[in-house]
Every structure is written in structure tokens, then in C-alpha cells.
Amino acid sequence: MLSRIRLYAAKLEPGADEPVRAEAGTAVDFMTTLGGGVAGQASLMSGFGTQLAVPGESYLVGETINGVERWAVRSIDEVRAARQHFEVIDENTPSNGTKWRPLGDNSLVTRVWRPHKRFHYRADSPARAARGKMRELELINRYIMAQFLSRLASAGVILFPDEVTFPAKEEFAEAADPFVAEWIEIAATAIRNPGTASAVVPLPIKVPAEYVDKIKHIDFTLQLDEKILDKRESAIKGLATMLNMPAEVLLGMGDVNHWGQWMLEESALKTHIAPEAEIICQALTAGYLQPRLKASGVEDWAQWVVWYDMSELTLRPDRSDNAFAAYDRMEINGSALRRETGFDEADKPTTEELQEQALKVIIKTLPSAAPSALPLLTGQHVDVTSNDPGGGPPRQTEQPPAEERAAPAPRDDGPAVAEAARAAASEARSARMARQAQALHAVRFAAGAQPELLHPALCSQYAYSCPFTHAALKLHGLPRPGTSGVYEARLDAFGRFTIGRHSPLMDTSGFFSTTRSTANGLAHSRR
């Protein structure tokens, strides 16, 4: 688990809960080269985990060999101090011998240990306190193994009366006891071919009736103690509570693999993994990063530390609903929304795709704009005729701004220029309505009065064509909340009118209202 933790350089900042991660600088360069990169650091962290859990201490050894930095986690048995230098066991030594080699002058040897609570210079580990329980478990396992081996070592003896004789095959006639020789050969064949029928079919023997009960089998093997397995289970449970790891690692948890179950428990990471990582970070800070920064002339070297990132171990919660709500309220950007919903930046829509989506929203929320939006969306002229003259929103009577009005075509250019001018005007109008659809609106509810739809200043000249106006008309009356006042209003991804949270402190001084009226369409009143 420690091998999935990523180390990085961070700087201490007053008032911050954790050191602030740095993106560039000398400290970042030093941490990048430590261990040879991410893969090398994962190997180092795995080695630190084993050494801290069992003996409680180890050494980080860094040396330059042929111009390349080499890093390794060494146990205390692999490093020794010689005259003014350190020596390590040569990793190229044959297995039948030990050879020590000296480290160069530019090598680094730093101790990483878990300090003893009484004597700081000594190392301590959870395994030290559990040695008695480990010894008990080892003895139980040896006892069980001895019982199994006793069954393999001897199958006992079979007693036959001297008066009983057995017929034997010709090939065994010369043996001292032909019957015993034949029996051994049959048993050996059954062992060589355990899957055959002859391995399980008993050997038939005919003897006089008075001697049948005289043939006996005496078993010398130890009988398996039925309670010994319960004792072993109890020893494992006791060991699981003493080691510095979740008990599920040894005991398992239901039908879920114990490693997978542990990853589901964030508390296990904070309780067992984070303390180990902090011990390693403190040792690397004092023994590697700060001395190297100081030697490099960095003035604020004492403010830099080694810190860790456990994000690869945690199971990300589903925050997509919160991400959608925050995005609709314009509190997060598109990158954050994609990240929390499981998408990456490659899924970001292009400008052309955004224009296409905006046109679809306009067509859904503003039917009167369909004749202008459909040609831009489909690439061809579409004849749109309303079959319901009495329904839908009232016709737009407001005068569009100059950039949305098609300029008269010059006589010498003909209809092509006129069509281009109309297309440009329609595109500008579509872009403006897309901005309106994303802008924050509000609804004011008061007792005994119709709800007021509050528009921002962006809609001051386009109240009739505002997508909020048409979306509100489709509701046949806005649902009234339990409390009067001002509420946020937005359009969802499908262009539907939604009422958000109650915002009594919302500044609506720059807004103007439109009141829904079934008799007169929309009556505008400047506030």
C-alpha cells in the first residue's frame, strides 16, 4: 500500500493545514530525481514499509555509479560504518559468501526509523510487541505440520498369524516373503498412479475363518487435535489486533477480498498508512531534501519538506450531483465538472460542438427562434410554420440590436450576400440567447401577488426572446415555495425552468421583472 503513495516537495506556509505543494523549483527537481522517478520511489516506499513494520529501521543509500544515481533501501544488516566511510554488502556477491564494498565520498546514507517512545535513538516497531504472539502461532503451525508428517513417515504395521499363508505370483516366488513383496509392489503402483481405480480398490485376501479377527493394523501416527485449529485461529486474531495494520488484512472480511475491502475504508488509510508515510517524509526531509537544498545555496531551505499524496489509494466518492449543481450556479468550471463525472479533457466540446448544443437549447426553449436556428443547425433552409396560432409565447416585438439585424444586400451582389448577412445576424442572436440561458435569473414570490421573473441587465433589451421567459411560460404557473422572497432561477441541461435556493441577501438592484399574465402575455415593468 505504501508503494502507491507519491512523494513531492512542499513548502511550509503559516496557517496552512498541510505544506503547500510546489510545481517547479530546485526542491521539485531534487524530489523528481530521488529514486530515479515515480517507479523508483514506489520501490523505495515498499522497502520502507517492510523495514518499519518488522525491525523498525533501515537506511536509504544513494550513490552515483558511472554518472547515474542509484538508490536503495538497505536493512541494518547490510550497512556498517568503517573508517570515515560506510560499507554495504555487495549486491553482486554470490549467495555462498558476503563481500563488503565501500561507498564513495559523494554517497548518501540516511537512517529512517521509528523512534522508541522511551529511548529516541532506538528503533521500535509493532512487530516487537507481537513477538510472543508470533512465537505462539509459529509453534502451533509446527505442531500441525508434525502431525501431518507423522502420517507420511509411517503407515503403521499389519500383524498376520504365522499359521496363515497366502498364494503369490511367480515373479515374487523368490522373495523372502512373497506375499509381503507383492503387497508392497501393489501399494507402490497405487502411489505412482493415484488417479486409477486400482488405487482405491482393496486387495482381496482369502484366509481361514478362525484367523480373520487375528489380522490387525496398528497405527503409530499422531491423531490430529480437533481443537488445534481453533487455537491457531485465536492466535491469528490476537496477532491481527497487535500489528499496525487493519485486522481485515489477516482475517479477511466477508466475501470481499481483504485488500479490496481495505481500500474501501478511508479510515484505514488515515490510521495505518498516513503515520507510516509521515515517518518516512520526516526522515527524508531531515536526511535528504533540506541538506541538499542547503548545499545548493537555497536561502529558505528550512521551509521545504517532503510530503505525500494518497489519492491513488482512496476510492473517489460520487460527487457528480454536487458537481452539476455547482456548475449550474457557475461555482466551478467545465474541467472540474468533467473530472468529477469521470471524463477527461479530451471530452471537452469544441467551439463548433458548443454552437450546435446552444442552437439545440434555443430550439427547445424558444420556438419562435427555430426559423433562424434550424438553418444554422442543419445547414439547409427549413420552413417552420406554427399550427397553433393561439398557443406559445407572444411574438417578439422588441427591436433587435444592429449586430443582429441583417444589412440590406447591395444590388450588384444579389441574394448570396443577403443570405450571408442573415446568417451572421442569426449566429449573433443565437450566441446572445446562449449567454442569457447561462446567466443567473431570479424569481420573487410574495403573498397575494403573481411571481415575478427577475432578469439581469443582460436581458434589458431582449426580455421577450429570453429563454427564461419562454421556459417559465411552459410551466402553467410557477410552483410556490413555502417562504416568500427571492429565489435563484436557472435552466437545466434540457432547457427546463428550475427554482434554486432561497437567497434573501441576493442583490437584485440591477434586475428588472416580468410578470406572467394569461390575458396580456408578458407585461414589463422597470424596477
Side-chain angles (χ1 to χ4, degrees), residues 81 102 150 190 207 234 250 307 310 335 365 384 434 443 461 467 470 495 508 513:
S150 69
V207 297
S234 176
L250 291 180
W307 206 240
M310 291 198 305
S335 299
T365 60
V384 180
V443 180
Q461 299 180 19
H470 293 266
T508 59
S513 67

Side-chain angles (χ1 to χ4, degrees), residues 349-365 369-370 372-379 426-427 430-431 433-434 438 493:
T350 62
T351 303
E352 293 76 12
E353 292 172 341
L354 281 175
Q355 292 177 353
E356 179 180 347
Q357 294 171 9
L359 291 172
K360 292 179 180 179
V361 172
I362 291 172
I363 292 172
K364 289 180 179 180
T365 60
S372 300
L374 281 175
L376 296 175
L377 183 61
T378 62
S426 297
E427 185 175 355
S430 300
M433 286 189 288
Q438 296 177 356

Side-chain angles (χ1 to χ4, degrees), residues 317-351:
D318 183 8
R319 301 191 298 179
S320 56
D321 292 339
N322 294 335
F324 281 122
Y327 182 76
D328 290 341
R329 292 192 173 110
M330 299 183 183
E331 295 297 334
I332 61 174
N333 55 25
S335 299
L337 179 63
R338 285 186 289 272
R339 182 185 68 245
E340 297 301 331
T341 51
F343 300 94
D344 53 32
E345 291 305 303
D347 300 313
K348 180 180 179 180
T350 62
T351 303

Side-chain angles (χ1 to χ4, degrees), residues 471-490:
L473 285 172
K474 293 180 180 180
L475 295 179
H476 304 292
L478 295 176
R480 284 186 173 274
T483 305
S484 299
V486 177
Y487 289 79
E488 294 181 359
R490 295 189 182 278

Side-chain angles (χ1 to χ4, degrees), residues 163-219:
E163 295 82 0
V164 176
T165 59
F166 302 96
K169 294 182 180 180
E170 296 181 359
E171 59 265 29
F172 301 103
E174 301 298 330
D177 192 328
F179 174 73
V180 174
E182 182 178 358
W183 195 354
I184 293 175
E185 178 63 23
I186 293 174
T189 303
I191 294 175
R192 287 194 300 267
N193 303 293
T196 60
S198 60
V200 295
V201 175
L203 181 67
I205 300 176
K206 291 182 178 181
V207 297
E210 63 269 20
Y211 295 113
V212 171
D213 58 345
K214 306 299 183 180
I215 300 175
K216 295 181 179 181
H217 175 223
I218 301 177
D219 187 5

